[in-house]
Amino acid sequence: MWFFARDPVRDFPFELSQEPPEGSPPGPWVLHRGRKKATGSPVSIFVYDVKPGAEEQTQVAKAAFKRLKTLRHPNILAYIDGLETEKCLHIVTEAVTPLGMYLKARAEAGGLKEQELSWGLHQVVKALSFLVNDCGLIHNNVCMAAVFVDRAGEWKLGGLDYMYSAQGNDGGPPRKGIPELEQYDPPELADSSGRVLREKWSADMWRLGCLIWEVFNGPLPRAAALRSTGKIPKSLVPHYCELVGANPKVRPNPARFLQNCQAPGSFMNNRFVETNLFLEEIQIKEAVEKQKFFQELSKSLDSFPEDFCRHKVLPQLLTAFEFGNAGAVVLTPLFKVGKFLSAEEYQQKIIPVVVKMFSSTDRAMRIRLLQQMEQFIQYLDEPTVNTQIFPHVVHGFLDTNPAIREQTVKSMLLLAPKLNETNLNVELMKHFARLQAKDEQGPIRCNTTVCLGKIGSYLSASTRHRVLTSAFSRATKDPFAPSRVAGVLGFAATHNLYSLSDCAHKILPVLCSLTVDPEKSVREQAFKAIRSFLSKLESVSEDPTQLAEVEKDVHAASSPGMGGAAASWAGWAVTGVSSLTSKLIRANPVAPPPETSVPQRPTPEGHPSLAPTPVPATPTTSSHWETQQEDKGEAEDSSTADKWDDEDWGSLEQEAESVLVQQHDWNLRDQASQAGQVSHPDRKSPESDWSSWEAEGSWEQGWQESNPPEPTPEGTRLASEYNWGGPEPSDKGDPFAALSVRSSTQDKPRLRWPGKSVKNGGGRWKPSAQRRRQQRAP
């Protein structure tokens, strides 16, 4: 039986990079980049090759291996793993870069800021304080080659090869034998008599002074150069002079040096150092302190290094949210740091937190998420939006807080392109129908109309045909003036989504009624939109070959590029109306705007002209186009007639009484002012069509298409035969009486059909309370 010896180097879970060594600092070690075989995560590997006849240097390397393995401190190089064989020593640490190489690379990119240098030196001094005050150890090798920088920009103290005990238990300092390191020794070490009084930290503090000089001025040529401060900041010069003083007795303890440098106006007294110190102790801070810290952190992140934000601030923010109950205050700095991440990192670190935040019941967090959705929406995929985000967002439509309802509406501008057909064309339209009809806040109704105009091109063709005309017509009857303006601009923004027949029969009549609106801003926008639609109709009338091009988007599938004008339309509604909404909500949070007094709103500036630019399409004769339109009109009339015949209209008396009760419906307020008034059972007006909006939560009773105009009865005179210059004589009857959807006073007894029933085809008609009172009257 054969036994094969295992190769410990081959079985080691880490491997060296194929790149050349990253550095060979003075001493026995050579620094290599490496990675963990299992995960591929980067590490640094210090390698020492055992050579014959170098027993003393081998003992120094083994001592460093042991020291680094046993010492644990945030400012000392972090040990991960090691390998010791007869031929070599491997020490695996966190991925770091020698300080000299780091400063050189940053100098080529513009140099380090003073606040970064102050925090780096703070970390080195804190590590020395830990060694000498807590462990009783003298580092004995503080220099540029012994300091390393991790990926977050944190400075770590390494180079523990020549460390010894401050009590002298291990026989005093080891001999270095390397000229490059001996030049950092303090002058008192040359006095072998031992009569010079010094503290145990005196030699390390002298070497710290040499390190400070090199950080600001470059490599130290000789000890005499320490007398010139060079580029050392003025706020640090007094403390630096204490370190390189000739009298070792007056050199301060590392802990005392930190206190002096953190005094007001000193070198280490800045926001960057304060932020780092707070993050190091954040786990023991009170909740109130954390809230205040995160609120102020966003202001400082712009001036902090990018690597520091990514690798130190971000983990703390994620930890604070997951385990510290920090709440909504972490959102602003979290998204600010997220700008420094790649798309892959954002998906891994930020998106899971965002998805979890949307399920929170904290109102402050929900509104912050909605307000800042623009910063992370591009990283959300469609399945995540439809299954994990949208079901939670729609709850905001039903929230009692107007601010949340408003932000929920605005967020749909960003979510709509990622919603599936059901969520967009069914669920979202249900909520929009309810908000536009029943919300007591005028600005929210206005923003609902604005949002619908902007996402109209994403809707399916059937939904657009059923919803847009009715919704914008509804908005033009809103008592809130900006809502009426939004309805007009909605028609203009989605002008390419309507057939010419709809433009002529449905849209222009609505717009013409607004030319006498009490508000000038509404009238001005109405005139602009009318001219735009008339221009389209006129261009096709003159050249029927343009019909196919003009109506190319009417039955097309949903596409974000279809609304040519919608992309830049009504920008005021998301900015100007946003502030207007907040003001009005604060001023009157519950009561709806009075119908008799319409608030004034300035006319939007810079609104783009929406006149179409026709492009010739396939040639079509004029007669063919007219025949096509006539056939289309006949089809619509027949389909509409079928719909009205199949509709269950219920009790006419109940409908009349409900009109009297529902006076908050601004579309029916004219009918509600007359007692006992009813609608004709055979004809449905646009006003009665909008009463179906009151049925909350019913999609089939939401945005319904208006009934196309019926043929004019015989005997009706042409419009040119009437006296348009003044009022009709009193002896003439109303020429439009036969077309009116509202009954006259003389017709009331006849329309009540006493003693008969028209509901469900038979039965007795119950007289109304008013009718019974009239019958009992003497």
Side-chain angles (χ1 to χ4, degrees):
M1 183 178 293
W2 297 89
F3 293 93
F4 295 94
R6 297 180 60 186
D7 185 358
V9 177
R10 186 181 60 186
D11 296 338
F12 195 51
F14 300 89
E15 63 180 0
L16 299 179
S17 172
Q18 299 298 326
E19 301 176 3
E22 191 171 52
S24 299
W29 299 95
V30 177
L31 176 61
H32 295 263
R33 289 183 180 273
R35 67 179 185 88
K36 190 173 182 178
K37 293 178 180 179
T39 62
S41 55
V43 294
S44 289
I45 302 178
F46 293 83
V47 179
Y48 171 72
D49 293 325
V50 178
K51 299 177 181 178
E55 288 77 8
E56 183 178 1
Q57 198 173 35
T58 300
Q59 293 301 320
V60 169
K62 291 183 177 181
F65 187 105
K66 181 179 178 181
R67 294 288 190 187
L68 193 60
K69 189 175 182 179
T70 55
L71 287 174
R72 298 289 181 176
H73 189 268
N75 304 126
I76 293 179
L77 196 59
Y79 173 88
I80 296 178
D81 201 350
L83 174 66
E84 182 176 357
T85 67
E86 296 179 355
K87 297 182 179 181
C88 65
L89 293 176
H90 286 186
I91 300 178
V92 182
T93 69
E94 57 185 320
V96 291
T97 302
L99 178 59
M101 296 180 61
Y102 179 77
L103 293 177
K104 182 179 180 181
R106 289 299 300 269
E108 295 174 355
L112 285 175
K113 297 180 180 179
E114 188 173 297
Q115 62 179 5
E116 299 177 67
L117 295 173
S118 66
W119 175 242
L121 292 173
H122 184 284
Q123 293 175 296
V124 173
V125 178
K126 196 170 183 180
L128 290 176
S129 177
F130 166 75
L131 292 175
V132 69
N133 295 318
D134 298 334
C135 303
L137 296 173
I138 305 300
H139 187 275
N140 195 35
N141 191 28
V142 180
C143 63
M144 184 80 74
V147 181
F148 303 88
V149 183
D150 68 6
R151 60 179 184 172
E154 305 277 89
W155 292 18
K156 303 297 180 77
L157 184 61
L160 309 183
D161 308 75
Y162 308 105
M163 183 179 291
Y164 66 96
S165 173
Q167 286 75 27
N169 299 334
D170 48 5
R175 189 177 69 86
K176 298 178 182 178
I178 302 176
E180 293 89 344
L181 298 179
E182 291 179 350
Q183 69 171 344
Y184 298 106
D185 290 341
E188 63 268 17
L189 291 185
D191 186 1
S192 58
S193 62
R195 286 179 285 182
V196 180
L197 299 178
R198 56 179 180 266
E199 301 289 350
K200 55 184 178 181
W201 58 79
S202 296
D204 278 349
M205 298 308 286
W206 169 277
R207 297 185 181 98
L208 176 64
C210 298
L211 174 63
I212 292 175
W213 194 96
E214 287 189 318
V215 166
F216 291 99
N217 299 304
L220 181 66
R222 55 189 181 278
L226 297 173
R227 299 176 182 177
S228 174
T229 58
K231 299 179 181 179
I232 298 177
K234 293 182 179 180
S235 58
L236 183 59
V237 167
H239 311 294
Y240 161 78
C241 292
E242 292 180 350
L243 300 178
V244 294
N247 186 359
K249 188 69 176 177
V250 298
R251 294 173 195 158
N253 184 288
R256 177 65 182 275
F257 179 81
L258 282 180
Q259 292 180 358
N260 296 339
C261 291
Q262 288 183 274
S266 296
F267 179 65
M268 296 182 184
N269 182 28
N270 55 62
R271 176 63 180 166
F272 189 63
V273 173
E274 293 173 358
T275 300
N276 279 280
L277 293 177
F278 190 95
L279 289 174
E280 288 183 351
E281 302 175 352
I282 194 171
Q283 303 300 332
I284 61 174
K285 297 292 184 181
E286 297 292 335
V288 177
E289 294 178 293
K290 294 180 183 178
Q291 293 276 333
K292 183 179 179 181
F293 170 76
F294 287 126
Q295 288 174 351
E296 298 176 352
L297 179 61
S298 298
K299 305 175 184 177
S300 306
L301 288 178
D302 293 332
S303 61
F304 288 173
E306 180 178 327
D307 290 338
F308 168 77
C309 295
R310 292 174 55 195
H311 300 295
K312 187 167 184 180
V313 175
L314 180 59
Q316 293 291 350
L317 291 174
L318 298 177
T319 302
F321 171 75
E322 291 284 347
F323 309 107
N325 298 322
V329 292
V330 304
L331 287 178
T332 301
L334 181 65
F335 293 137
K336 218 165 192 178
V337 174
K339 296 178 181 178
F340 302 128
L341 302 179
S342 64
E344 183 179 357
E345 290 176 318
Y346 205 103
Q347 287 285 347
Q348 295 176 352
K349 299 180 180 180
I350 305 293
I351 293 303
V353 177
V354 170
V355 172
K356 185 176 180 180
M357 286 179 177
F358 270 108
S359 62
S360 173
T361 57
D362 183 6
R363 277 179 165 172
M365 180 173 292
R366 286 163 57 195
I367 199 168
R368 291 273 186 92
L369 281 171
L370 295 174
Q371 289 172 340
Q372 303 183 44
M373 186 178 290
E374 188 174 1
Q375 301 186 33
F376 58 84
I377 186 63
Q378 66 268 27
Y379 301 104
L380 295 173
D381 54 22
E382 294 186 8
T384 302
V385 170
N386 285 282
T387 60
Q388 302 183 57
I389 302 295
F390 184 75
H392 297 294
V393 172
V394 293
H395 293 159
F397 290 124
L398 305 174
D399 202 285
T400 56
N401 189 328
I404 292 182
R405 297 201 304 274
E406 178 195 18
Q407 291 298 331
T408 304
V409 170
K410 292 180 180 179
S411 68
M412 293 302 112
L413 295 175
L414 301 171
L415 289 178
K418 296 178 180 288
L419 294 180
N420 58 34
E421 184 174 356
T422 301
N423 286 337
L424 178 62
N425 296 286
V426 180
E427 295 299 325
L428 181 58
M429 293 300 104
K430 285 182 181 180
H431 290 287
F432 272 19
R434 188 190 60 81
L435 283 177
Q436 197 189 37
K438 297 180 69 68
D439 200 281
E440 69 274 7
Q441 298 292 341
I444 294 180
R445 300 194 301 271
C446 174
N447 276 342
T448 302
T449 305
V450 169
C451 184
L452 181 62
K454 291 202 168 196
I455 68 174
S457 59
Y458 295 103
L459 302 175
S460 64
S462 60
T463 303
R464 294 197 304 264
H465 183 68
R466 186 176 70 254
V467 168
L468 294 183
T469 305
S470 300
F472 296 141
S473 299
R474 179 69 168 82
T476 61
K477 300 175 178 64
D478 197 301
F480 188 57
S483 291
R484 301 199 296 277
V485 174
V488 177
L489 295 178
F491 277 128
T494 55
H495 68 95
N496 59 315
L497 303 179
Y498 308 111
S499 65
L500 293 186
S501 178
D502 287 346
C503 294
H505 293 118
K506 299 178 182 179
I507 298 176
L508 280 175
V510 173
L511 295 176
C512 289
S513 65
L514 296 178
T515 57
V516 292
D517 193 271
E519 291 293 329
K520 183 179 180 182
S521 60
V522 179
R523 298 194 301 270
E524 290 178 345
Q525 295 300 328
F527 283 120
K528 290 181 181 180
I530 289 172
R531 286 191 290 268
S532 175
F533 282 104
L534 287 177
S535 175
K536 175 189 291 189
L537 292 171
E538 185 178 5
S539 64
V540 177
S541 176
E542 294 177 354
D543 184 7
T545 59
Q546 298 180 5
L547 176 64
E549 177 66 24
V550 171
E551 292 189 349
K552 65 178 182 178
D553 294 333
V554 175
H555 301 290
S558 59
S559 172
M562 288 172 53
S568 59
W569 166 75
W572 57 270
V574 182
T575 56
V577 172
S578 175
S579 58
L580 177 65
T581 305
S582 302
K583 293 177 182 177
L584 290 175
I585 289 175
R586 287 195 296 267
N588 188 9
V590 177
E595 297 183 1
T596 56
S597 176
V598 182
Q600 177 71 28
R601 189 196 184 283
T603 304
E605 297 180 2
H607 177 68
S609 175
L610 297 177
T613 304
V615 179
T618 306
T620 307
T621 61
S622 176
S623 60
H624 174 75
W625 177 73
E626 293 171 356
T627 304
Q628 186 181 13
Q629 292 299 317
E630 290 175 0
D631 295 340
K632 182 178 178 181
E634 292 175 2
E636 289 181 354
D637 291 342
S638 61
S639 63
T640 304
D642 295 339
K643 182 173 65 175
W644 299 141
D645 292 339
D646 295 342
E647 188 87 28
D648 182 12
W649 291 103
S651 172
L652 293 177
E653 182 179 26
Q654 292 176 0
E655 182 181 352
E657 291 178 354
S658 66
V659 169
L660 294 176
V661 174
Q662 297 173 354
Q663 296 186 12
H664 61 279
D665 186 353
W666 45 74
N667 284 309
L668 299 176
R669 62 179 183 270
D670 292 337
Q671 299 178 17
S673 62
Q674 302 179 14
Q677 194 172 13
V678 297
S679 300
H680 197 283
D682 296 329
R683 185 178 296 117
K684 191 176 182 183
S685 67
E687 286 83 356
S688 63
D689 177 62
W690 288 107
S691 65
S692 62
W693 282 62
E694 297 298 328
E696 182 174 351
S698 175
W699 172 242
E700 296 299 329
Q701 297 178 354
W703 281 323
Q704 297 292 342
E705 182 181 358
S706 301
N707 187 25
E710 296 185 0
T712 304
E714 293 183 4
T716 303
R717 300 187 320 181
L718 298 177
S720 58
E721 300 175 12
Y722 298 119
N723 179 20
W724 296 101
E728 289 285 334
S730 59
D731 57 345
K732 290 186 179 181
D734 183 3
F736 300 104
L739 300 177
S740 176
V741 296
R742 293 191 290 268
S743 60
S744 62
T745 306
Q746 292 82 356
D747 293 335
K748 287 179 181 177
R750 180 174 59 83
L751 289 178
R752 287 194 176 276
W753 294 293
K756 297 182 180 180
S757 174
V758 296
K759 180 180 181 182
N760 298 327
R764 292 289 298 170
W765 177 269
K766 294 183 179 180
S768 64
Q770 181 180 2
R771 181 67 176 173
R772 290 195 295 269
R773 287 196 298 270
Q774 292 177 354
Q775 292 175 353
R776 290 196 298 268

